[in-house]
Amino acid sequence: MVQDVLNASNIKKGTITYEMNSFDLEKTVSSLASGLKPMAIEKGLNFEYVKTDGENYTYTGDEGQLKQVIKNLIENAIKYTDKGDVKVYLTKEKGKFLIFLGVGLVLRAVKQSRPTALVDLVLPLPGERAGV
């Protein structure tokens, strides 16, 4: 909690620093999904983590900061889904990692490889631009 206040203060001042390291994004997302699954189950939701197999998920960035963002996205998806499903997807498309969340009853009606998402988080590979 104190760290969150300090981070917010540093963001306002423009003095936030990032620890740039290579890490396995899949392990990070998988760990978060596993840790938050009980929260969804307790609420009576179906929860699933899906990733594209055969991809190299090595990413260079601030793992701690990114982990916090992804955790908040998943927690909010669970919090604001009253019934149905929460699915966390991790894939790689056109040189970018994509993390997107399918939520609610919408998933049962959508018959696409990529369901309607609450949010997309796009993580570029080196030399690409980021976006959300």
Side-chain angles (χ1 to χ4, degrees), residues 3-59:
Q3 189 62 43
D4 292 340
V5 172
L6 291 173
N7 284 344
S9 175
N10 287 338
I11 289 169
K12 268 186 173 179
K13 289 190 277 183
T15 59
I16 192 161
T17 57
Y18 297 100
E19 291 184 31
M20 304 301 277
N21 295 303
S22 291
F23 63 95
D24 186 337
L25 182 62
E26 194 282 323
K27 283 184 183 176
T28 300
V29 176
S30 175
S31 173
L32 287 168
S34 294
L36 293 170
K37 184 176 183 175
M39 181 180 169
I41 291 171
E42 184 177 305
K43 194 172 173 184
L45 301 172
N46 297 313
F47 186 92
E48 186 177 1
Y49 167 62
V50 180
K51 70 174 177 75
T52 305
D53 287 330
E55 295 289 349
N56 177 357
Y57 287 103
T58 301
Y59 186 73

Side-chain angles (χ1 to χ4, degrees), residues 14-127:
T15 59
I16 192 161
T17 57
Y18 297 100
E19 291 184 31
M20 304 301 277
N21 295 303
S22 291
F23 63 95
D24 186 337
L25 182 62
E26 194 282 323
K27 283 184 183 176
T28 300
V29 176
S30 175
S31 173
L32 287 168
S34 294
L36 293 170
K37 184 176 183 175
M39 181 180 169
I41 291 171
E42 184 177 305
K43 194 172 173 184
L45 301 172
N46 297 313
F47 186 92
E48 186 177 1
Y49 167 62
V50 180
K51 70 174 177 75
T52 305
D53 287 330
E55 295 289 349
N56 177 357
Y57 287 103
T58 301
Y59 186 73
T60 300
D62 188 321
E63 184 178 14
Q65 294 288 338
L66 190 56
K67 191 174 187 177
Q68 188 60 46
V69 168
I70 296 167
K71 180 181 178 192
N72 288 343
L73 293 174
I74 297 171
E75 284 176 337
N76 284 340
I78 294 168
K79 181 178 178 180
Y80 294 108
T81 300
D82 293 326
K83 56 185 171 178
D85 305 305
V86 172
K87 292 189 179 184
V88 179
Y89 295 86
L90 174 63
T91 191
K92 191 174 177 181
E93 290 180 12
K94 298 179 184 175
K96 293 179 173 65
F97 291 117
L98 303 177
I99 300 168
F100 55 101
L101 305 169
V103 297
L105 296 174
V106 134
L107 286 175
R108 296 178 195 273
V110 175
K111 300 291 183 191
Q112 300 174 1
S113 62
R114 182 174 174 177
T116 302
L118 171 68
V119 67
D120 284 344
L121 179 59
V122 180
L123 302 174
L125 296 175

